[in-house]
Amino acid sequence: MATASVAFKSREDHRKQLELEEARKAGLAPAELDEDGKEINPHIPQYMSSAPWYLNADKPSLKHQRKWKSDPNYTKSWYDRGAKIYQADKYRKGACQNCGAMTHDAKACMERPQKKGAKWTNMHIAPDEKVESFQLDYDGKRDRWNGYDASTYARVIERYEARDEARRKFLKEQQLKKLEEKNGNQDGEGPEVEISDEEDDDEDALKVDEAMVDESKQMDFAKVEKRVRTTGGGSTGTVRNLRIREDTAKYLLNLDVNSAHYDPKTRSMREDPLPDADPNEKFYIGDNQNRMSGQALEFKQLNVHAWESFEKGQDIHMQAAPSQAELLFKNFKVIKDKLKTKTKDTIMEKYGNAASGEEIPVELLMGQSERQVEYDRAGRLIKGMETSLPKSKYEEDVYINNHTSVWGSWWKDHQWGYRCCKQTIRNSYCTGTAGIEAAEAATELMKANIARKAASEDKPALVEEKNLATWGTDVPEDLVLDQKLLNEALKKEDERRREERDERKRKYNVKYNDEVTAEDMEAYRMKRTHHDDPMKDFLN
């Protein structure tokens, strides 16, 4: 009886509901809202989110899982400490015999015990305390800070500031005293007195950093403690305190909740908690820096080499034989360096080294020589030898298949070709000017054919409309229909269609007339549904 009453759903509605739940779990659809407007976690099982049937819940929620009967008498207030309500002038009957207050008796009195109480002296009557009684709930009884006044912590801060100020003043007086003694010894008569090493040590000892604490209280670095983890109190090992207590914990460097993530189980913070700070002032930049430097990087390269070698068929395993893997990695690095050096020497031997100290000749550097060449006004050579153009290692000006130009000397419509015959087919035979004229004539003919075809498509052929009779032949020209009989035939056709739709209206003894007139056929033709009619769904 713990399941909620769910309305009946069809198969299609149930499928849509399942698809919606999957989309909500994947984050593609917004979460469902409960009665209070709060989002419901889509991963909560149905047996938890569905309320019992007797609660008459319409929407799934967790309201029935909570304590919905709340006691209005519960309070979260606390005692008003030190509050007084009434100051009496004389002793009252039933009051405390020691101080005279009505809120307690002599056994529970917190005042100083008097030789003669207020009952007999009728003097120094204490005021009545404010007595309160609260009915706390489960959380209120277990709240450690209930009733704590945060303003009282200001006294603790003042006490520490006063201590630091006194310490700073004492250190300053000591430094001034040492400085006066040093100046007095230098200005005095007689031989110069040298400052001993002990006095220098004393001066250095006085230059204490204000943020430092006494070394005796600073840390217990060399202290070895026992780690107790057994029920009988035995130790399972020893642990050494390796962190200097002056250092700020890594999770306290940036208190922003959106800063670098700190894992308390492994005590690791991979990202930099202060990415925008000055790098010269930071002493911690994340654990990733340690993972990407030093021996960690070498170990990572060793693992990658072992994996790649194993994939290539070499019998190597980092965990099974680590020494073998490390030796193979060292040999691999030596061979790789040798191959790299050999390749570099081969390239330098073939092409030279521009970074070396060899000076390049001036004629090569500036492109000048001592050869004298003279030209006339037309640009013809008169005296000397003409400068030969440098040849490449590839064959140039080689014409094939009767061409007078090379492939790639002509470009049209995003295609390369030959300039001599304007062909875009490589290694084709050159046809010269005749080929160009034939290609232009073919292009003009193709354009004319396209234009003629487009003109013919613009004028569609006229189709003669024919009125077909209801039995599939042409309508006779001498066919005459009576309008009154046609209206009656249309009504009969409507009744027949209504009976086909609902057979319960058909009578037990039915007699049909097999005689079909022209009006009946015309009514059938007019009421018939054409399957290619785009408006067939809007008829009837």
Side-chain angles (χ1 to χ4, degrees):
M1 304 296 290
T3 58
S5 57
V6 182
F8 174 76
K9 294 182 180 179
S10 63
R11 182 177 297 177
E12 184 68 19
D13 295 340
H14 184 67
R15 184 184 60 81
K16 291 181 180 179
Q17 182 67 21
L18 291 178
E19 292 179 355
L20 180 59
E21 291 177 359
E22 293 296 332
R24 286 172 177 169
K25 291 180 180 179
L28 303 176
E32 189 177 6
L33 302 179
D34 59 0
E35 299 175 354
D36 299 333
K38 299 179 180 179
E39 294 184 353
I40 300 176
N41 190 345
H43 299 283
I44 294 178
Q46 185 179 6
Y47 72 90
M48 293 179 62
S49 60
S50 299
W53 60 271
Y54 48 82
L55 292 181
N56 296 326
D58 297 334
K59 294 183 178 181
S61 65
L62 296 178
K63 191 174 183 180
H64 57 280
Q65 299 281 0
R66 305 187 187 97
K67 184 180 178 182
W68 52 280
K69 287 186 177 181
S70 59
D71 195 344
N73 297 325
Y74 287 153
T75 180
K76 291 186 178 180
S77 57
W78 199 246
Y79 302 100
D80 191 1
R81 298 181 179 179
K84 310 296 182 181
I85 55 176
Y86 179 70
Q87 176 68 51
D89 297 334
K90 59 181 180 178
Y91 181 77
R92 294 161 293 177
K93 184 178 180 181
C96 176
Q97 297 179 3
N98 185 40
C99 65
M102 289 289 295
T103 53
H104 62 270
D105 53 2
K107 184 181 290 187
C109 184
M110 301 298 293
E111 298 289 339
R112 180 181 62 85
Q114 302 179 10
K115 186 175 182 180
K116 289 186 179 180
K119 180 180 179 180
W120 294 276
T121 61
N122 206 12
M123 296 173 59
H124 306 291
I125 306 297
D128 298 341
E129 296 93 350
K130 184 178 179 180
V131 180
E132 297 176 295
S133 60
F134 300 113
Q135 189 175 1
L136 301 177
D137 55 356
Y138 182 85
D139 295 332
K141 292 179 182 178
R142 291 157 180 80
D143 189 2
R144 297 176 56 192
W145 298 97
N146 194 359
Y148 176 74
D149 188 8
S151 60
T152 58
Y153 188 70
R155 285 179 275 175
V156 179
I157 298 177
E158 292 175 0
R159 183 168 68 252
Y160 276 88
E161 289 179 351
R163 186 195 66 175
D164 294 341
E165 184 65 26
R167 179 172 171 271
R168 197 179 300 109
K169 186 177 180 182
F170 174 75
L171 291 176
K172 189 174 182 181
E173 292 177 355
Q174 292 291 332
Q175 290 178 357
L176 292 175
K177 186 177 179 181
K178 290 290 182 180
L179 186 61
E180 291 176 358
E181 292 178 358
K182 180 180 178 181
N183 294 334
N185 292 333
Q186 290 180 356
D187 297 340
E189 297 179 358
E192 295 182 357
V193 180
E194 296 181 357
I195 300 176
S196 61
D197 296 339
E198 296 180 356
E199 293 180 355
D200 294 340
D201 296 340
D202 294 340
E203 290 181 3
D204 294 338
L206 291 174
K207 298 177 181 179
V208 182
D209 188 6
E210 297 179 359
M212 303 274 290
V213 296
D214 190 12
E215 291 183 358
S216 61
K217 300 179 182 179
Q218 168 186 334
M219 61 179 178
D220 298 327
F221 183 75
K223 185 177 180 181
V224 178
E225 299 177 354
K226 290 185 177 181
R227 180 179 296 170
V228 179
R229 285 189 177 178
T230 59
T231 56
S235 63
T236 60
T238 58
V239 62
R240 185 182 296 274
N241 188 3
L242 299 178
R243 187 173 71 85
I244 301 177
R245 294 304 174 183
E246 291 177 2
D247 296 341
T248 306
K250 61 179 74 174
Y251 52 84
L252 297 179
L253 294 175
N254 191 351
L255 300 180
D256 188 4
V257 295
N258 297 324
S259 63
H261 173 67
Y262 174 75
D263 186 10
K265 185 175 181 180
T266 58
R267 299 181 182 179
S268 61
M269 182 181 288
R270 299 185 177 182
E271 299 178 2
D272 188 3
L274 300 172
D276 300 331
D278 187 7
N280 299 325
E281 298 179 358
K282 292 191 294 185
F283 66 92
Y284 179 76
I285 55 178
D287 294 340
N288 281 340
Q289 181 67 20
N290 300 330
R291 298 175 61 187
M292 300 302 294
S293 61
Q295 295 182 352
L297 186 58
E298 296 178 0
F299 183 73
K300 190 175 182 180
Q301 294 175 355
L302 177 59
N303 279 313
V304 173
H305 174 260
W307 296 336
E308 292 178 352
S309 301
F310 182 78
E311 289 178 356
K312 294 178 181 179
Q314 194 170 358
D315 189 9
I316 180 175
H317 198 280
M318 186 61 195
Q319 283 72 30
S323 301
Q324 178 189 4
E326 186 175 1
L327 182 60
L328 291 175
F329 182 56
K330 288 182 179 179
N331 296 336
F332 168 75
K333 289 195 294 184
V334 172
I335 297 173
K336 184 178 179 181
D337 293 340
K338 289 182 179 180
L339 182 61
K340 188 176 180 181
T341 306
K342 183 179 179 181
T343 306
K344 182 178 178 182
D345 295 341
T346 305
I347 294 174
M348 292 175 61
E349 182 181 354
K350 185 175 182 180
Y351 298 101
N353 187 7
S356 61
E358 299 178 0
E359 296 183 0
I360 303 176
V362 180
E363 58 270 12
L364 296 179
L365 184 63
M366 306 300 295
Q368 298 177 355
S369 64
E370 297 296 333
R371 292 177 300 175
Q372 185 178 1
V373 182
E374 295 182 5
Y375 298 91
D376 59 1
R377 292 186 177 182
R380 292 187 294 268
L381 182 65
I382 299 176
K383 183 180 179 182
M385 293 181 60
E386 189 175 2
T387 305
S388 61
L389 297 175
K391 295 284 186 177
S392 66
K393 65 179 181 179
Y394 301 101
E395 295 181 354
E396 296 183 359
D397 299 333
V398 176
Y399 307 113
I400 59 174
N401 296 337
N402 200 29
H403 286 286
T404 58
S405 61
V406 295
W407 167 260
S409 58
W410 187 65
W411 168 266
K412 184 178 181 182
D413 297 337
H414 304 281
Q415 287 183 340
W416 293 102
Y418 297 97
R419 185 177 58 183
C420 56
C421 58
K422 296 184 180 180
Q423 293 193 52
T424 57
I425 302 175
R426 193 168 188 178
N427 297 329
S428 61
Y429 192 81
C430 182
T431 55
T433 308
I436 297 175
E437 295 176 356
E440 292 178 354
T443 304
E444 294 296 334
L445 182 60
M446 184 177 63
K447 291 181 179 179
N449 293 335
I450 293 175
R452 185 168 60 254
K453 184 178 180 182
S456 62
E457 290 179 354
D458 294 340
K459 298 179 180 179
L462 298 176
V463 180
E464 184 181 357
E465 297 182 358
K466 295 183 179 181
N467 295 326
L468 300 179
T470 54
W471 45 84
T473 59
D474 296 341
V475 178
E477 296 180 358
D478 56 350
L479 179 62
V480 178
L481 299 176
D482 189 357
Q483 189 64 29
K484 185 176 180 181
L485 296 177
L486 181 60
N487 294 336
E488 293 179 356
L490 289 174
K491 291 181 181 180
K492 290 181 180 179
E493 183 67 20
D494 292 337
E495 292 178 359
R496 187 184 66 80
R497 288 178 177 272
R498 205 175 299 114
E499 289 180 359
E500 288 181 356
R501 223 177 283 120
D502 191 359
E503 295 183 353
R504 292 176 297 178
K505 294 183 178 181
R506 183 183 296 177
K507 298 180 180 180
Y508 184 73
N509 294 324
V510 181
K511 293 182 179 180
Y512 291 100
N513 187 7
D514 296 337
E515 296 180 359
V516 180
T517 61
E519 287 79 5
D520 295 337
M521 295 303 297
E522 183 67 18
Y524 173 76
R525 183 184 65 81
M526 295 173 66
K527 293 291 184 179
R528 183 178 58 179
T529 302
H530 298 275
H531 295 286
D532 54 350
D533 187 4
M535 301 295 290
K536 64 180 181 179
D537 296 334
F538 299 94
L539 298 176
N540 299 330

